[in-house]
Amino acid sequence: MKFRLATVFAAGLLAAAGANAATELVIATVNNGHMIEMQKLSKNFEAANPDIKLKWVTLEEGVLRQRVTTDIATKGGQFDIMTIGMYEAPIWGKKGWLTELKTDAAYDVDDLLPAVRGGLTVDGKLFAAPFYGESSMLMYRKDLADKAGIKVADNPTWTDIKALAAKIHNPPNTYGICLRGKPGWGDNMAFLSTLVNTHGGQWFDMSWKPQLESKPWKDAITFYVDLLKNYGPPGSSNNSFNEILALTNSGKCGMWIDATIAASFVSDPKQSKVADQMAFAQAPTAVTPKGANWLWSWNLAIPAGSKKVDAAQKFVTWATSKEYIQLVAKTNGWANVPTGTRKSTYASPEFQKAARFAAAELKAIESANPTDSTLPKSPYVGVQFAAIPEFQSIGIAVGQQMSAALAGKTSVDDALKASQVAAEREMKKAGYYK
C-alpha cells in the first residue's frame, strides 16, 4: 500500500512538473465580438499545443490602449502578445518596441491585403499581424433612393450625397444622413480626416506645420456642419459608431458613411429592421479620391524583449491564418468571419454568398493607401490619422472643437482657429519646428 501511494505521489509530482513547464502567454485584447470569439476558439490552439497555456486580459478599447502603451513604453513585460491598432504598429515598430514577425510559407504573407500589410510594415519588416481590417464605405437605404428616383453611383460624390439626403430626409421617421459627431481622435476625427483629405486637405505640410485653417479644412467642416444641421438626426454631436448603428438598424438613417465592418451588422436581419433594404457603395469623394476612405486594422503584436517569442509567434500565426478563418466559418458561418485581412477570404464563393457587401468592402480597403493619402505631399503615414505619438492629443483637442461647431456652440472658423493653436503648441513642444 505504501509503495502504491508513493508511486501515485511521484506521478502527481511529475504531472505538476509537466504543468509548470508549459509556457503561459498573457494576451491583452479588446472586448469586441471578433476578439471574444478568438478566445472561445483558442481551446483548439491549446489542444494542438499542450505546452502553451493562454491567459487573457480583455479590456475596453480606451483602457487597452492605455495599459499596453504604458507597458511597452516602460518595458513592463506584463504582456506577451498585445492587440494594437494600425496607428501604434508603425510608431512602435520604428522605436524598436516590437518584435519583427517571422512567417513561414504556410502562413502565406503575400495573401495579406497589400494596403493592410503596408500599414503594419516599417522598412520592409512586418511588426504586427492583422486579425481583422476595415475601410469606410457608404451604406444606404435603396428603397428610399428608389422612391426618390435616384440611382446611387458606385463612386458617388459628396454633391450627390447632399442631393440624396435632401430628397429622403423625412423626420422624425427617417433622417437623410447620419455621420459621427462625438469627439475623439478615433471617433469624429476618423471620419472628418477622410472628408478633409478628399477636399484636398492634410493634417500637416512637409514642414510638419498644422494646416487646420487651410481652405480644404474650412470647406470640409462647413459642408459637414451644414449637412448634418439640415439633414441629420438631432444630437449628432453625441453620435459615434454604436449610436449610429442603433439608429440605422431601427430604420432612422437614410445614409451612413462609416466602417465597412458595420455592413455585416446592418445587413443582418437578426439585428436590423431594414437589412433587406441596405445597399453599399464607395465612400464619397470631393476634389480628389485620395484619402476619401479610411484604413484600420486590429492586429496582434509581440513586444520586443519578450522571453516567450517562439510561443507567442506560434499563437499570432495561428490566430491570423487562413486556417483560423476557415475555423470561424465552420463554427459560426461565413457571415461571421473576421474580414479585411486576406485575399483568400474574398476569393471564397461561400464568403461572397454570405456577405453581399464583400466586393464594396474589398474595393474600399484596396483603394486606401496610408503612405499617399493626401493631395498635397504629407510627411506622415496614415489615412485618418498621422502615425506620430503627438497625434492622439492633437486629434482629441480638434475633435472637441469640431463637435462644438456641430452643436452650434462655436463657429466653424473659431473652432478651426482654436484647433490650429492647439496643434501648433503640441508640435512645437515636441520639437517638429520652432
Side-chain angles (χ1 to χ4, degrees):
M1 186 67 180
K2 275 183 182 173
F3 173 74
R4 215 148 133 215
L5 280 171
T7 307
V8 170
F9 181 66
L13 282 176
L14 280 172
N20 289 338
T23 301
E24 184 183 74
L25 294 177
V26 182
I27 306 169
T29 194
V30 68
N31 66 340
N32 67 27
H34 282 313
M35 279 23 182
I36 289 161
E37 195 52 42
M38 173 171 56
Q39 291 174 48
K40 287 180 193 166
L41 294 175
S42 65
K43 63 178 186 288
N44 294 275
F45 174 82
E46 288 182 310
N49 298 275
D51 57 331
I52 300 173
K53 295 284 167 245
L54 305 175
K55 184 182 174 186
W56 296 88
V57 179
T58 310
L59 304 161
E60 290 275 346
E61 184 176 332
V63 180
L64 172 82
R65 281 189 205 286
Q66 205 174 11
R67 287 275 300 276
V68 299
T69 303
T70 302
D71 189 63
I72 203 157
T74 60
K75 296 185 172 62
Q78 260 186 300
F79 307 113
D80 303 300
I81 296 169
M82 297 173 162
T83 304
I84 64 173
M86 197 177 266
Y87 168 72
E88 292 88 357
I91 298 174
W92 294 0
K94 213 171 199 170
K95 282 179 178 282
W97 290 357
L98 300 174
T99 299
E100 182 189 354
L101 297 180
K102 303 288 187 186
T103 56
D104 58 16
Y107 183 77
D108 193 4
V109 75
D110 290 331
D111 186 47
L112 296 177
L113 294 173
V116 176
R117 184 180 168 186
L120 306 174
T121 301
V122 179
D123 298 330
K125 295 174 181 176
L126 187 69
F127 283 105
F131 184 69
Y132 78 82
E134 64 180 36
S135 184
S136 51
M137 71 196 311
L138 167 65
M139 296 162 275
Y140 68 96
R141 289 271 301 275
K142 190 173 184 302
D143 58 326
L144 298 180
D146 289 348
K147 196 175 163 190
I150 293 177
K151 186 180 181 337
V152 178
D154 287 339
N155 291 282
T157 66
W158 275 107
T159 306
D160 298 336
I161 295 300
K162 187 176 181 180
L164 180 56
K167 279 277 180 83
I168 62 178
H169 188 56
N170 182 27
N173 302 323
T174 314
Y175 299 98
I177 190 162
C178 297
L179 298 168
R180 297 183 182 198
K182 186 184 277 186
W185 76 269
D187 285 293
N188 63 343
M189 293 320 300
F191 166 72
L192 285 173
S193 294
T194 64
L195 186 64
V196 168
N197 290 340
T198 196
H199 275 82
Q202 61 188 153
W203 273 96
F204 309 102
D205 67 12
M206 288 304 288
S207 305
W208 288 104
K209 191 159 173 55
Q211 297 297 300
L212 290 137
E213 288 186 284
S214 63
K215 186 177 184 295
W217 271 88
K218 286 186 184 181
D219 291 348
I221 305 305
T222 302
F223 177 86
Y224 161 77
V225 169
D226 288 346
L227 187 66
L228 282 181
K229 198 164 69 180
N230 291 316
Y231 311 117
S236 282
S237 59
N238 298 315
N239 290 342
S240 195
F241 182 88
N242 289 331
E243 292 82 7
I244 301 174
L245 177 61
L247 284 168
T248 303
N249 282 348
S250 66
K252 292 276 189 186
C253 296
M255 285 183 282
W256 181 24
I257 293 113
D258 213 300
T260 52
I261 200 80
S264 60
F265 308 140
V266 300
S267 59
D268 178 1
K270 290 180 193 147
Q271 300 181 51
S272 171
K273 276 168 58 177
V274 290
D276 295 343
Q277 305 296 346
M278 296 305 296
F280 310 97
Q282 295 306 295
T285 59
V287 174
T288 175
K290 282 192 178 191
N293 49 296
W294 71 61
L295 186 67
W296 183 257
S297 59
W298 279 116
N299 319 282
L300 298 178
I302 304 166
S306 167
K307 307 280 190 291
K308 304 170 187 173
V309 171
D310 290 346
Q313 177 86 49
K314 213 177 247 190
F315 179 79
V316 169
T317 300
W318 174 81
T320 61
S321 66
K322 293 180 193 177
E323 291 69 32
Y324 177 81
I325 291 168
Q326 294 282 346
L327 176 63
V328 178
K330 192 176 151 191
T331 311
N332 303 315
W334 274 100
N336 298 298
V337 301
T339 61
T341 60
R342 288 184 170 271
K343 299 172 197 171
S344 52
T345 302
Y346 294 91
S348 158
E350 296 97 331
F351 176 66
Q352 288 173 20
K353 192 177 168 189
R356 54 194 172 84
F357 54 85
E361 178 182 60
L362 180 61
K363 188 178 174 186
I365 292 170
E366 287 184 332
S367 72
N369 183 352
T371 59
D372 183 19
S373 62
T374 58
L375 191 56
K377 202 165 162 47
S378 294
Y380 54 88
V381 172
V383 183
Q384 78 281 20
F385 56 82
I388 57 171
E390 296 73 23
F391 180 76
Q392 282 197 43
S393 58
I394 291 172
I396 290 166
V398 176
Q400 286 165 344
Q401 291 294 330
M402 299 306 105
S403 192
L406 182 58
K409 292 175 182 171
T410 185
S411 69
V412 169
D413 280 356
D414 285 350
L416 290 172
K417 188 176 183 180
S419 297
Q420 178 73 13
V421 169
E424 282 184 5
R425 187 170 57 238
E426 280 293 323
M427 295 302 278
K428 282 176 182 172
K429 192 169 79 181
Y432 282 84
Y433 66 95
K434 288 179 182 174

